[in-house]
Every structure is written in C-alpha cells, then in structure tokens.
Coordinates of all heavy atoms in Angstrom, one line a residue:
M1 N -20.8 18.4 5.6 CA -21.6 17.6 4.7 C -20.9 16.3 4.5 O -19.6 16.2 4.5 CB -21.5 18.5 3.3 CG -22.2 17.6 2.2 SD -22.2 18.6 0.6 CE -23.3 19.9 1.0
S2 N -21.6 15.3 4.3 CA -21.1 14.0 4.1 C -20.7 13.7 2.7 O -21.1 14.4 1.8 CB -22.1 12.9 4.6 OG -23.1 12.7 3.6
F3 N -19.9 12.6 2.5 CA -19.5 12.2 1.2 C -20.7 12.0 0.3 O -20.7 12.5 -0.9 CB -18.6 11.0 1.2 CG -18.3 10.3 0.0 CD1 -17.4 10.8 -1.0 CD2 -19.0 9.2 -0.4 CE1 -17.2 10.2 -2.3 CE2 -18.8 8.5 -1.6 CZ -17.9 9.1 -2.5
L4 N -21.7 11.3 0.8 CA -22.8 10.9 0.0 C -23.7 12.1 -0.3 O -24.1 12.2 -1.5 CB -23.7 9.9 0.8 CG -23.1 8.5 0.9 CD1 -23.9 7.6 1.8 CD2 -22.8 7.8 -0.4
Q5 N -23.8 13.0 0.6 CA -24.5 14.2 0.3 C -23.9 15.1 -0.8 O -24.4 15.6 -1.8 CB -24.6 15.2 1.5 CG -25.5 14.6 2.6 CD -25.5 15.3 3.9 OE1 -24.4 15.8 4.3 NE2 -26.6 15.5 4.5
F6 N -22.5 15.2 -0.8 CA -21.7 15.9 -1.7 C -21.9 15.2 -3.1 O -22.1 15.9 -4.1 CB -20.3 15.8 -1.3 CG -19.3 16.7 -2.3 CD1 -19.1 18.1 -2.2 CD2 -18.6 15.9 -3.2 CE1 -18.4 18.7 -3.0 CE2 -17.8 16.6 -4.1 CZ -17.6 18.0 -4.1
R7 N -21.7 13.9 -3.1 CA -21.8 13.2 -4.4 C -23.2 13.4 -5.1 O -23.3 13.4 -6.3 CB -21.6 11.6 -4.1 CG -21.4 10.9 -5.3 CD -21.3 9.4 -5.0 NE -22.7 9.0 -4.5 CZ -22.9 7.8 -4.0 NH1 -22.0 7.0 -3.9 NH2 -24.1 7.5 -3.5
D8 N -24.2 13.5 -4.3 CA -25.6 13.7 -4.9 C -25.8 15.2 -5.3 O -26.9 15.4 -6.0 CB -26.6 13.4 -3.8 CG -26.6 11.8 -3.6 OD1 -26.1 11.1 -4.4 OD2 -27.1 11.4 -2.6
L9 N -25.0 16.2 -5.1 CA -25.1 17.5 -5.6 C -24.9 17.5 -7.0 O -24.2 16.7 -7.6 CB -24.1 18.5 -4.8 CG -24.3 18.6 -3.3 CD1 -23.2 19.5 -2.9 CD2 -25.5 19.2 -3.0
S10 N -25.4 18.6 -7.7 CA -25.0 18.8 -9.1 C -23.6 19.3 -9.1 O -23.0 19.7 -8.2 CB -25.9 20.0 -9.7 OG -25.6 21.2 -9.1
Y11 N -23.1 19.3 -10.4 CA -21.7 19.6 -10.5 C -21.4 21.1 -10.0 O -20.5 21.4 -9.3 CB -21.1 19.5 -11.8 CG -19.6 19.8 -12.0 CD1 -18.7 18.9 -11.7 CD2 -19.3 21.1 -12.6 CE1 -17.3 19.3 -11.7 CE2 -17.9 21.4 -12.6 CZ -16.9 20.5 -12.2 OH -15.6 20.8 -12.3
S12 N -22.3 22.0 -10.4 CA -22.1 23.4 -9.9 C -22.2 23.5 -8.5 O -21.5 24.4 -7.8 CB -23.1 24.4 -10.7 OG -24.4 24.0 -10.4
E13 N -23.1 22.8 -7.8 CA -23.3 22.8 -6.4 C -22.0 22.1 -5.7 O -21.5 22.7 -4.6 CB -24.5 22.1 -5.9 CG -25.8 22.7 -6.2 CD -27.0 21.9 -6.0 OE1 -26.9 20.7 -6.2 OE2 -28.0 22.4 -5.6
Q14 N -21.5 21.1 -6.3 CA -20.2 20.6 -5.8 C -19.1 21.6 -5.9 O -18.3 21.7 -4.9 CB -19.8 19.3 -6.6 CG -20.6 18.1 -6.4 CD -20.2 16.9 -7.2 OE1 -19.3 17.0 -8.0 NE2 -20.7 15.8 -6.7
A15 N -18.9 22.2 -7.0 CA -17.9 23.2 -7.3 C -18.0 24.3 -6.2 O -17.0 24.8 -5.6 CB -17.9 23.7 -8.6
A16 N -19.2 24.9 -5.9 CA -19.4 25.9 -4.9 C -19.1 25.5 -3.5 O -18.3 26.1 -2.7 CB -20.8 26.5 -5.0
Y17 N -19.5 24.3 -3.1 CA -19.1 23.7 -1.8 C -17.7 23.5 -1.6 O -17.0 23.8 -0.6 CB -20.0 22.4 -1.5 CG -19.8 21.9 -0.1 CD1 -20.4 22.4 1.0 CD2 -18.8 21.0 0.1 CE1 -20.3 21.9 2.2 CE2 -18.5 20.5 1.5 CZ -19.3 21.0 2.5 OH -19.0 20.5 3.7
F18 N -17.1 23.0 -2.7 CA -15.7 22.7 -2.8 C -14.9 23.9 -2.5 O -14.0 23.9 -1.7 CB -15.4 21.9 -4.1 CG -13.9 21.7 -4.3 CD1 -13.2 20.7 -3.7 CD2 -13.1 22.6 -5.1 CE1 -11.8 20.5 -3.9 CE2 -11.8 22.3 -5.3 CZ -11.2 21.3 -4.8
S19 N -15.2 24.9 -3.2 CA -14.5 26.2 -3.1 C -14.6 26.8 -1.8 O -13.6 27.5 -1.3 CB -14.9 27.2 -4.2 OG -14.7 26.7 -5.5
A20 N -15.7 26.7 -1.1 CA -15.9 27.3 0.2 C -15.4 26.5 1.4 O -15.1 27.1 2.5 CB -17.4 27.5 0.4
H21 N -15.2 25.2 1.2 CA -14.9 24.4 2.5 C -13.6 23.5 2.3 O -13.3 22.7 3.2 CB -16.1 23.4 2.7 CG -17.3 24.1 3.0 ND1 -18.3 24.5 2.1 CD2 -17.8 24.6 4.3 CE1 -19.2 25.1 2.7 NE2 -18.9 25.2 4.0
R22 N -12.7 23.7 1.2 CA -11.6 22.9 1.1 C -10.5 23.3 1.9 O -10.2 24.4 2.2 CB -11.3 23.0 -0.4 CG -10.8 24.3 -0.8 CD -10.7 24.2 -2.3 NE -10.2 25.5 -2.8 CZ -10.1 25.9 -4.0 NH1 -10.4 25.1 -5.0 NH2 -9.7 27.2 -4.4
T23 N -9.6 22.3 2.3 CA -8.4 22.5 2.9 C -7.3 21.8 2.1 O -7.4 20.5 1.9 CB -8.4 21.9 4.4 OG1 -9.4 22.5 5.1 CG2 -7.1 22.1 5.0
Y24 N -6.3 22.5 1.6 CA -5.4 21.9 0.7 C -4.4 21.0 1.4 O -3.9 21.4 2.5 CB -4.6 23.2 0.0 CG -3.4 22.7 -0.9 CD1 -3.6 22.2 -2.1 CD2 -2.1 22.6 -0.4 CE1 -2.7 21.8 -3.0 CE2 -1.1 22.1 -1.2 CZ -1.3 21.7 -2.5 OH -0.3 21.3 -3.3
L25 N -4.1 19.9 0.7 CA -3.1 18.9 1.4 C -2.0 18.6 0.5 O -0.8 18.5 1.1 CB -3.9 17.6 1.6 CG -5.1 17.6 2.6 CD1 -5.7 16.3 2.7 CD2 -4.6 18.1 3.9
A26 N -2.1 18.5 -0.8 CA -1.0 18.1 -1.6 C -1.2 18.2 -3.1 O -2.4 18.4 -3.5 CB -0.7 16.5 -1.3
R27 N -0.2 18.1 -3.9 CA -0.3 18.1 -5.3 C 0.5 17.0 -5.9 O 1.6 16.6 -5.4 CB 0.2 19.5 -5.8 CG 0.3 19.7 -7.3 CD 0.9 21.0 -7.7 NE 2.3 21.1 -7.2 CZ 2.7 22.2 -6.7 NH1 2.1 23.4 -6.6 NH2 4.0 22.3 -6.2
R28 N 0.1 16.5 -7.1 CA 0.8 15.5 -7.9 C 0.6 15.8 -9.3 O -0.4 16.5 -9.7 CB 0.5 14.1 -7.4 CG -0.9 13.7 -7.8 CD -1.3 12.3 -7.3 NE -2.6 11.9 -7.5 CZ -3.1 11.2 -8.5 NH1 -2.3 10.8 -9.5 NH2 -4.4 10.9 -8.6
Y29 N 1.4 15.1 -10.2 CA 1.3 15.3 -11.6 C 1.1 13.9 -12.2 O 1.7 13.0 -11.8 CB 2.5 16.0 -12.2 CG 2.8 17.3 -11.6 CD1 3.7 17.5 -10.6 CD2 2.1 18.5 -12.0 CE1 3.9 18.7 -10.0 CE2 2.3 19.7 -11.5 CZ 3.2 19.9 -10.5 OH 3.4 21.1 -10.0
T30 N 0.1 13.9 -13.3 CA -0.1 12.6 -13.9 C -0.7 12.9 -15.3 O -1.6 13.7 -15.4 CB -1.0 11.7 -13.0 OG1 -1.1 10.5 -13.8 CG2 -2.4 12.2 -12.9
A31 N -0.2 12.3 -16.4 CA -0.7 12.2 -17.7 C -1.3 13.5 -18.1 O -2.5 13.5 -18.6 CB -1.7 11.1 -17.8
G32 N -0.7 14.6 -18.1 CA -1.2 15.9 -18.5 C -2.0 16.7 -17.6 O -2.7 17.6 -17.9
F33 N -2.2 16.2 -16.3 CA -3.0 16.8 -15.4 C -2.2 17.2 -14.1 O -1.2 16.4 -13.7 CB -4.1 15.9 -14.8 CG -5.2 15.7 -16.0 CD1 -5.1 14.7 -16.8 CD2 -6.2 16.6 -16.0 CE1 -6.1 14.5 -17.8 CE2 -7.2 16.4 -17.0 CZ -7.1 15.3 -17.9
T34 N -2.5 18.2 -13.5 CA -2.0 18.7 -12.1 C -3.3 18.3 -11.2 O -4.3 18.6 -11.4 CB -1.8 20.1 -12.0 OG1 -0.7 20.4 -12.9 CG2 -1.2 20.4 -10.6
V35 N -2.9 17.4 -10.2 CA -4.0 16.9 -9.4 C -3.7 17.4 -8.0 O -2.7 17.2 -7.4 CB -4.1 15.4 -9.4 CG1 -5.3 14.9 -8.5 CG2 -4.2 14.8 -10.8
H36 N -4.7 18.3 -7.5 CA -4.6 18.8 -6.0 C -5.5 18.0 -5.2 O -6.6 17.7 -5.5 CB -5.0 20.2 -6.0 CG -4.2 21.1 -6.8 ND1 -4.6 21.8 -8.1 CD2 -2.9 21.5 -6.7 CE1 -3.6 22.5 -8.5 NE2 -2.5 22.4 -7.8
L37 N -5.0 17.7 -4.0 CA -5.7 16.9 -3.0 C -6.2 17.8 -2.0 O -5.4 18.7 -1.4 CB -4.9 15.8 -2.4 CG -5.5 15.0 -1.3 CD1 -6.6 14.2 -1.8 CD2 -4.4 14.1 -0.6
Y38 N -7.4 17.8 -1.6 CA -8.1 18.6 -0.6 C -8.8 17.7 0.4 O -9.3 16.6 0.1 CB -9.1 19.6 -1.1 CG -8.4 20.6 -2.0 CD1 -8.3 20.5 -3.4 CD2 -8.0 21.8 -1.5 CE1 -7.6 21.4 -4.2 CE2 -7.4 22.8 -2.2 CZ -7.2 22.6 -3.7 OH -6.6 23.5 -4.4
Y39 N -9.1 18.2 1.6 CA -9.9 17.6 2.7 C -11.1 18.5 2.9 O -11.0 19.7 3.0 CB -9.1 17.5 4.0 CG -9.8 16.7 5.0 CD1 -10.2 15.4 4.9 CD2 -10.2 17.4 6.2 CE1 -10.9 14.7 5.9 CE2 -10.9 16.7 7.2 CZ -11.2 15.3 7.0 OH -11.8 14.8 8.0
L40 N -12.3 17.9 2.9 CA -13.5 18.6 3.0 C -14.3 18.1 4.3 O -15.5 18.2 4.4 CB -14.4 18.4 1.8 CG -14.1 19.3 0.6 CD1 -12.9 18.8 -0.1 CD2 -15.3 19.4 -0.3
G41 N -13.5 17.9 5.4 CA -14.1 17.7 6.7 C -14.4 16.2 7.0 O -14.2 15.9 8.1
S42 N -15.0 15.6 6.0 CA -15.3 14.0 6.3 C -14.9 13.2 5.1 O -15.1 12.0 5.1 CB -16.8 13.9 6.7 OG -17.5 14.3 5.5
F43 N -14.3 13.8 4.1 CA -13.8 13.0 3.0 C -12.8 13.9 2.2 O -12.5 15.0 2.5 CB -15.0 12.7 2.0 CG -15.8 13.9 1.5 CD1 -15.5 14.3 0.3 CD2 -16.8 14.5 2.2 CE1 -16.1 15.5 -0.3 CE2 -17.5 15.6 1.7 CZ -17.2 16.1 0.5
F44 N -12.1 13.2 1.2 CA -11.1 13.9 0.4 C -11.7 14.1 -1.0 O -12.7 13.5 -1.4 CB -10.0 13.1 0.2 CG -9.2 12.7 1.5 CD1 -9.6 11.5 2.2 CD2 -8.3 13.6 2.1 CE1 -8.9 11.3 3.5 CE2 -7.7 13.3 3.3 CZ -8.0 12.1 4.0
C45 N -11.1 15.1 -1.6 CA -11.5 15.4 -3.0 C -10.3 15.8 -3.8 O -9.6 16.6 -3.3 CB -12.6 16.6 -3.0 SG -13.4 16.8 -4.6
E46 N -10.2 15.3 -5.0 CA -9.2 15.7 -5.9 C -9.7 16.7 -6.9 O -10.9 16.5 -7.4 CB -8.6 14.5 -6.7 CG -7.7 13.6 -5.8 CD -7.2 12.4 -6.7 OE1 -8.0 12.0 -7.5 OE2 -6.1 12.0 -6.3
E47 N -8.9 17.6 -7.3 CA -9.3 18.7 -8.3 C -8.3 18.4 -9.5 O -7.1 18.5 -9.3 CB -9.0 19.9 -7.7 CG -9.1 21.2 -8.7 CD -8.8 22.5 -8.0 OE1 -7.6 22.5 -7.5 OE2 -9.6 23.4 -8.0
W48 N -8.8 17.9 -10.6 CA -8.0 17.6 -11.8 C -7.9 18.9 -12.7 O -9.0 19.2 -13.3 CB -8.5 16.4 -12.4 CG -8.3 15.1 -11.7 CD1 -8.8 14.8 -10.5 CD2 -7.4 14.0 -12.1 NE1 -8.4 13.5 -10.1 CE2 -7.5 13.0 -11.1 CE3 -6.7 13.8 -13.3 CZ2 -6.8 11.8 -11.3 CZ3 -6.0 12.6 -13.3 CH2 -6.2 11.6 -12.3
I49 N -6.7 19.4 -12.9 CA -6.6 20.5 -13.7 C -5.7 20.2 -15.0 O -4.7 19.6 -14.9 CB -5.7 21.6 -13.0 CG1 -6.5 22.1 -11.7 CG2 -5.6 23.0 -14.0 CD1 -7.8 22.8 -11.8
C50 N -6.4 20.4 -16.2 CA -5.7 20.1 -17.5 C -4.4 21.0 -17.6 O -4.6 22.2 -17.5 CB -6.6 20.3 -18.6 SG -5.8 20.1 -20.2
Q51 N -3.3 20.5 -17.8 CA -2.0 21.3 -17.8 C -1.9 22.1 -19.1 O -1.5 23.2 -19.0 CB -0.8 20.3 -17.7 CG -0.7 19.8 -16.4 CD 0.5 18.8 -16.3 OE1 1.1 18.5 -17.2 NE2 0.8 18.3 -15.0
T52 N -2.4 21.7 -20.3 CA -2.4 22.4 -21.5 C -3.4 23.6 -21.5 O -3.1 24.6 -22.1 CB -2.6 21.5 -22.7 OG1 -3.8 20.8 -22.6 CG2 -1.4 20.5 -22.8
Q53 N -4.5 23.4 -21.0 CA -5.6 24.4 -21.0 C -5.8 25.1 -19.7 O -6.6 26.0 -19.6 CB -6.8 23.8 -21.5 CG -6.8 23.3 -22.9 CD -7.9 22.5 -23.4 OE1 -8.8 22.0 -22.6 NE2 -8.1 22.3 -24.7
N54 N -5.1 24.6 -18.7 CA -5.2 25.2 -17.3 C -6.7 25.5 -16.9 O -7.0 26.5 -16.4 CB -4.4 26.6 -17.2 CG -4.2 27.0 -15.8 OD1 -4.0 26.2 -15.0 ND2 -4.1 28.3 -15.6
E55 N -7.5 24.4 -17.0 CA -8.9 24.5 -16.5 C -9.2 23.2 -15.8 O -8.7 22.2 -16.0 CB -9.8 24.7 -17.7 CG -9.9 23.6 -18.7 CD -10.8 23.9 -20.0 OE1 -10.9 25.1 -20.3 OE2 -11.4 23.0 -20.4
L56 N -10.2 23.4 -14.9 CA -10.7 22.4 -14.0 C -11.4 21.4 -15.0 O -12.3 21.7 -15.8 CB -11.6 22.9 -13.1 CG -12.4 21.9 -12.1 CD1 -11.3 21.0 -11.3 CD2 -13.4 22.5 -11.3
R57 N -11.1 20.1 -14.9 CA -11.7 19.1 -15.7 C -12.5 18.0 -14.9 O -13.5 17.5 -15.3 CB -10.7 18.2 -16.5 CG -10.1 19.0 -17.6 CD -11.1 19.4 -18.8 NE -10.6 20.2 -19.7 CZ -10.2 19.7 -20.8 NH1 -10.2 18.5 -21.1 NH2 -9.7 20.6 -21.7
L58 N -12.2 17.9 -13.5 CA -12.8 16.9 -12.7 C -12.7 17.2 -11.2 O -11.6 17.5 -10.8 CB -12.2 15.5 -13.0 CG -12.7 14.4 -12.2 CD1 -14.2 14.0 -12.5 CD2 -11.9 13.2 -12.4
L59 N -13.7 17.0 -10.5 CA -13.7 16.9 -9.0 C -13.9 15.5 -8.7 O -14.9 15.0 -9.1 CB -14.7 17.8 -8.3 CG -14.5 19.4 -8.5 CD1 -15.7 20.1 -7.8 CD2 -13.2 19.8 -7.7
R60 N -13.0 14.8 -8.0 CA -13.2 13.4 -7.7 C -13.2 13.2 -6.2 O -12.1 13.2 -5.5 CB -12.0 12.7 -8.2 CG -12.1 11.2 -8.0 CD -10.9 10.5 -8.8 NE -10.8 9.2 -8.4 CZ -9.7 8.8 -7.6 NH1 -8.9 9.6 -7.2 NH2 -9.8 7.5 -7.2
P61 N -14.4 13.1 -5.5 CA -14.4 12.9 -4.1 C -14.3 11.4 -3.8 O -14.6 10.6 -4.6 CB -15.8 13.4 -3.7 CG -16.7 13.1 -5.0 CD -15.7 13.3 -6.1
F62 N -13.7 11.2 -2.6 CA -13.4 9.8 -2.2 C -13.3 9.7 -0.6 O -12.9 10.7 0.0 CB -12.4 9.1 -2.8 CG -11.1 9.8 -2.7 CD1 -10.1 9.3 -1.6 CD2 -10.5 10.7 -3.5 CE1 -8.9 9.9 -1.4 CE2 -9.3 11.3 -3.3 CZ -8.5 10.9 -2.3
T63 N -13.6 8.6 -0.1 CA -13.4 8.3 1.4 C -12.3 7.2 1.7 O -11.8 7.2 2.8 CB -14.7 7.8 2.0 OG1 -15.2 6.7 1.3 CG2 -15.7 8.9 1.9
G64 N -12.0 6.4 0.7 CA -11.0 5.4 0.9 C -9.6 5.8 1.0 O -9.3 6.9 0.4
T65 N -8.8 5.0 1.7 CA -7.4 5.4 1.8 C -6.5 4.9 0.7 O -5.5 5.5 0.4 CB -6.8 4.7 3.1 OG1 -7.0 3.3 3.1 CG2 -7.4 5.3 4.3
E66 N -7.0 4.0 -0.2 CA -6.3 3.5 -1.3 C -6.0 4.6 -2.3 O -4.9 4.7 -2.9 CB -7.0 2.5 -2.0 CG -6.3 1.8 -3.1 CD -7.0 0.5 -3.8 OE1 -7.4 -0.3 -3.0 OE2 -7.1 0.4 -4.9
Q67 N -6.9 5.6 -2.5 CA -6.7 6.7 -3.4 C -5.7 7.7 -2.9 O -5.3 8.5 -3.6 CB -8.1 7.4 -3.6 CG -9.1 6.6 -4.4 CD -10.0 5.8 -3.4 OE1 -9.7 5.6 -2.2 NE2 -11.3 5.5 -3.9
L68 N -5.3 7.5 -1.6 CA -4.3 8.4 -1.1 C -2.7 8.0 -1.4 O -1.9 8.6 -1.2 CB -4.4 8.6 0.4 CG -5.7 9.3 0.9 CD1 -5.8 9.2 2.5 CD2 -5.7 10.7 0.5
L69 N -2.7 6.7 -1.8 CA -1.4 6.1 -2.1 C -0.4 6.9 -3.0 O 0.7 7.0 -2.8 CB -1.6 4.6 -2.6 CG -2.0 3.6 -1.5 CD1 -2.2 2.3 -2.1 CD2 -1.1 3.6 -0.3
P70 N -1.0 7.5 -4.1 CA -0.2 8.2 -5.0 C 0.5 9.5 -4.2 O 1.6 9.9 -4.6 CB -1.0 8.8 -6.1 CG -2.1 7.8 -6.1 CD -2.3 7.4 -4.7
Y71 N -0.2 9.9 -3.2 CA 0.4 11.0 -2.5 C 1.5 10.6 -1.5 O 2.4 11.4 -1.1 CB -0.7 11.8 -1.7 CG -1.7 12.4 -2.7 CD1 -2.9 11.7 -3.0 CD2 -1.4 13.6 -3.4 CE1 -3.8 12.2 -4.0 CE2 -2.3 14.1 -4.4 CZ -3.5 13.4 -4.6 OH -4.3 13.9 -5.5
T72 N 1.4 9.4 -1.0 CA 2.4 8.9 0.0 C 3.8 8.7 -0.7 O 4.8 8.9 0.0 CB 2.0 7.6 0.7 OG1 1.9 6.6 -0.3 CG2 0.7 7.7 1.4
E73 N 3.8 8.5 -2.0 CA 5.0 8.5 -2.7 C 5.8 9.8 -2.7 O 7.0 9.9 -3.0 CB 4.7 8.0 -4.2 CG 4.2 6.6 -4.2 CD 3.7 6.2 -5.6 OE1 3.9 7.1 -6.7 OE2 3.2 5.1 -5.8
L74 N 5.0 10.9 -2.5 CA 5.7 12.2 -2.5 C 6.3 12.6 -1.1 O 7.1 13.5 -1.0 CB 4.6 13.3 -2.8 CG 3.9 13.1 -4.1 CD1 2.7 14.1 -4.2 CD2 4.8 13.2 -5.3
V75 N 6.1 11.7 -0.1 CA 6.6 12.0 1.2 C 7.9 11.4 1.4 O 8.1 10.1 1.1 CB 5.7 11.5 2.3 CG1 6.2 11.7 3.7 CG2 4.3 12.2 2.1
H76 N 9.0 12.1 1.8 CA 10.3 11.6 1.9 C 10.7 11.9 3.4 O 10.9 13.0 3.7 CB 11.3 12.1 1.0 CG 10.9 11.8 -0.5 ND1 11.1 10.7 -1.1 CD2 10.4 12.7 -1.4 CE1 10.6 10.7 -2.3 NE2 10.2 12.0 -2.5
L77 N 11.0 10.8 4.2 CA 11.4 10.9 5.6 C 12.9 10.6 5.6 O 13.3 9.6 5.1 CB 10.6 10.1 6.5 CG 9.1 10.4 6.5 CD1 8.3 9.3 7.3 CD2 8.8 11.8 7.0
P78 N 13.7 11.3 6.4 CA 15.0 11.0 6.4 C 15.2 9.6 7.3 O 14.3 9.3 8.0 CB 15.6 12.1 7.3 CG 14.5 12.8 8.0 CD 13.3 12.6 7.1
S79 N 16.3 9.0 7.0 CA 16.5 7.7 7.8 C 16.7 8.1 9.3 O 17.3 9.1 9.6 CB 17.8 7.1 7.3 OG 17.7 6.8 5.9
L80 N 16.2 7.2 10.1 CA 16.3 7.4 11.5 C 17.4 6.6 12.1 O 17.7 5.6 11.7 CB 15.0 7.1 12.1 CG 13.8 7.9 11.8 CD1 12.5 7.4 12.4 CD2 14.0 9.4 12.1

C-alpha cells in the first residue's frame, strides 16, 4: 500500500493495516509520549502512546527523511 492510499483510509482501517504490516524500527520519548517508529513497506509510521494512560493516541505516517532526525540522535557509533 502506498502512503497516499494509507492516508486516505479511515482511522480504524489505518490501525488494522498498521497492525498487520508493520516492522518495528525504533523508540523515543517526548513530552509524555512513547513514540515507536515502524516501516510499512513504502513509508514510515509513528505510533504515539500516552505514557500516563498507556493508550494509542496517534498514528503519524510520513515519507520524508526529516521526520527521521529524532531517531538518528539515538544512534551512537564508536569512534573509528
């Protein structure tokens, strides 16, 4: 499925597709949320979980690399 096709689905359809086709990549924390990054074949999608209520609040699909920058800060490579 393409990013545009996914974006045009209803929220419940997005959630079903997301659950069936996601590949976990990374996790980060921000402002009361745990944010999981997944790859869905042709685009990325963030899953925003509220830390206090432990429930899904947002699925945020994207194709740009700028949205990946917060995850690159989590990568630490030893000096060569």
Side-chain angles (χ1 to χ4, degrees):
M1 176 176 297
S2 74
F3 167 75
L4 294 176
Q5 291 169 321
F6 182 84
R7 190 186 65 185
D8 289 342
L9 296 175
S10 69
Y11 182 77
S12 61
E13 291 171 324
Q14 285 182 352
Y17 184 86
F18 175 79
S19 293
H21 297 91
R22 65 188 179 186
T23 299
Y24 177 79
L25 298 176
R27 176 183 58 219
R28 65 185 176 94
Y29 301 96
T30 184
F33 290 92
T34 302
V35 185
H36 296 107
L37 176 66
Y38 294 91
Y39 184 62
L40 275 79
S42 63
F43 60 95
F44 297 96
C45 189
E46 289 181 325
E47 174 188 55
W48 287 65
I49 306 291
C50 176
Q51 291 176 353
T52 57
Q53 297 171 344
N54 197 32
E55 65 182 32
L56 176 63
R57 291 294 176 95
L58 174 70
L59 290 176
R60 182 175 165 255
F62 60 91
T63 57
T65 56
E66 186 173 312
Q67 293 91 337
L68 294 173
L69 291 177
Y71 298 97
T72 61
E73 296 170 2
L74 302 173
V75 176
H76 301 285
L77 298 175
S79 298
L80 298 176

